[in-house]
Amino acid sequence: MIVVASGATIGTRPGQPVDRAALAQANHAMFAAYADALAEHGSGDEVVIVVTNPVELGVATMAARLGRHRVIGMGAWLDTLRFRREIAHSLGVRRQRVGGFIAGQHGDDAVPLWSTVRVRGLVAGERRRTVASLRAGRALAGFPDEIAAAQARLLAERDTGRAFAMVEGWPPDLRTVTRPWLTHQSGARTAVGTANATVDLIRAIAEGREIVMAGQVALAGEAQLAGAPVHGVLGVPVVLGPEGWTEVLLGELPPDEDALLARSARRIAATVEPYVTEGTQA
């Protein structure tokens, strides 16, 4: 296993926006150098876990040289763990009782797949009512605007304690995105969550078992969005095992999830395509 965690990282100056384009420019050469070295000197069996941002660019660069199924990005699993934690927090249950995935791009373009949420101990009808209550009548079409408005409100609040208290009153999916963003804006880091998510992926691969997790992977038509197959990097639920990821588990989605995930795929492509000119290997 190779864990890629080097390179430039997101700045933590209060009020500083997250510039993924600048991160891509800063880290692409590093991604390419390590990918070339592994392609030339590696055994051909390594599985690469990309932690460095933009994780999607790292996955695309590595996959083009090493093979798609041997490369996975950690970001979607970190976002998934945060999503499950926030749902568990709202329900007052342990996170281990909650299932469900975050897909899309790591960060502001994360897509909560509410249709995948399960709570152990609830039958189907109870689950539907619980999810509906957590969503509070909101559709995902307005989720990007909600995130932007929430970030603006948090930046306007000069007291950090009051800002974090404000986040507590928001729905779980909005907390999933804004809480780590606010942590960065406060000058702190989210290193523990990142480490835990990375260790989860390492453990799944090292133990030789197949497990369903979310991750950024290079797709070649294994998923369909907006009526068309996806060719490019996207965070999706996959089966992960000792040889990398083997299967995408993304069925037909509700219209709002499908539309927002297709938007996320387009935004990822806009960042990745200027840097990656080689096609991914099957």
Side-chain angles (χ1 to χ4, degrees):
M1 268 177 288
I2 309 292
V3 178
V4 181
S6 57
T9 189
I10 296 170
T12 57
R13 290 201 308 272
Q16 180 184 17
V18 176
D19 190 341
R20 298 187 76 84
L23 273 178
Q25 187 172 15
N27 288 331
H28 176 253
M30 179 273 297
F31 289 139
Y34 280 109
D36 288 341
L38 284 170
E40 182 176 357
H41 302 293
S43 68
D45 295 318
E46 299 91 352
V47 177
V48 177
I49 300 169
V50 180
V51 177
T52 305
N53 279 308
V55 63
E56 294 81 15
L57 177 59
V59 169
T61 305
M62 296 276 178
R65 292 157 170 83
L66 305 176
R68 299 185 300 118
H69 293 277
R70 290 169 54 196
V71 184
I72 185 168
M74 178 277 302
W77 185 239
L78 173 58
D79 292 334
T80 289
L81 292 178
R82 288 169 171 165
F83 185 43
R84 294 177 180 182
R85 180 189 64 197
E86 296 295 357
I87 291 172
H89 178 67
S90 290
L91 297 178
V93 301
R94 296 179 62 192
R95 191 188 69 188
Q96 288 78 5
R97 286 186 56 188
V98 177
F101 295 96
I102 288 276
Q105 180 171 293
H106 180 48
D108 291 355
D109 283 307
V111 180
L113 301 182
W114 280 104
S115 62
T116 67
V117 171
R118 301 290 185 271
V119 181
R120 193 179 307 161
L122 298 185
V123 298
E126 291 173 319
R127 178 185 63 81
R128 286 193 295 270
R129 291 190 293 273
T130 298
V131 169
S133 175
L134 292 171
R135 296 188 69 175
R138 300 155 50 250
L140 287 182
F143 193 55
D145 291 337
E146 283 187 272
I147 293 171
Q151 290 174 345
R153 288 182 62 190
L154 293 172
L155 283 178
E157 176 53 69
R158 295 182 178 275
D159 184 280
T160 302
R162 285 198 295 266
F164 276 104
M166 192 184 302
V167 171
E168 283 293 326
W170 293 342
D173 51 358
L174 190 56
R175 295 201 307 266
T176 298
V177 177
T178 55
R179 196 191 298 277
W181 179 87
L182 179 58
T183 300
H184 275 294
Q185 290 295 318
S186 71
R189 298 284 186 181
T190 56
V192 173
T194 300
N196 284 337
T198 304
V199 168
D200 279 351
L201 295 179
I202 292 171
R203 184 181 292 118
I205 296 167
E207 291 181 355
R209 58 196 174 103
E210 292 192 331
I211 186 170
V212 178
M213 306 179 83
Q216 273 76 12
V217 297
L219 299 174
E222 291 92 346
Q224 287 213 349
L225 295 171
V230 179
H231 293 267
V233 177
L234 190 65
V236 290
V238 297
V239 177
L240 182 65
E243 297 181 349
W245 64 274
T246 57
E247 185 180 357
V248 175
L249 300 179
L250 190 71
E252 184 176 353
L253 298 173
D256 62 340
E257 294 179 3
D258 182 88
L260 192 59
L261 194 53
R263 174 185 183 270
S264 183
R266 292 192 298 271
R267 290 170 68 87
I268 291 171
T271 298
V272 168
E273 287 177 357
Y275 295 93
V276 179
T277 57
E278 301 177 36
T280 56
Q281 301 173 15

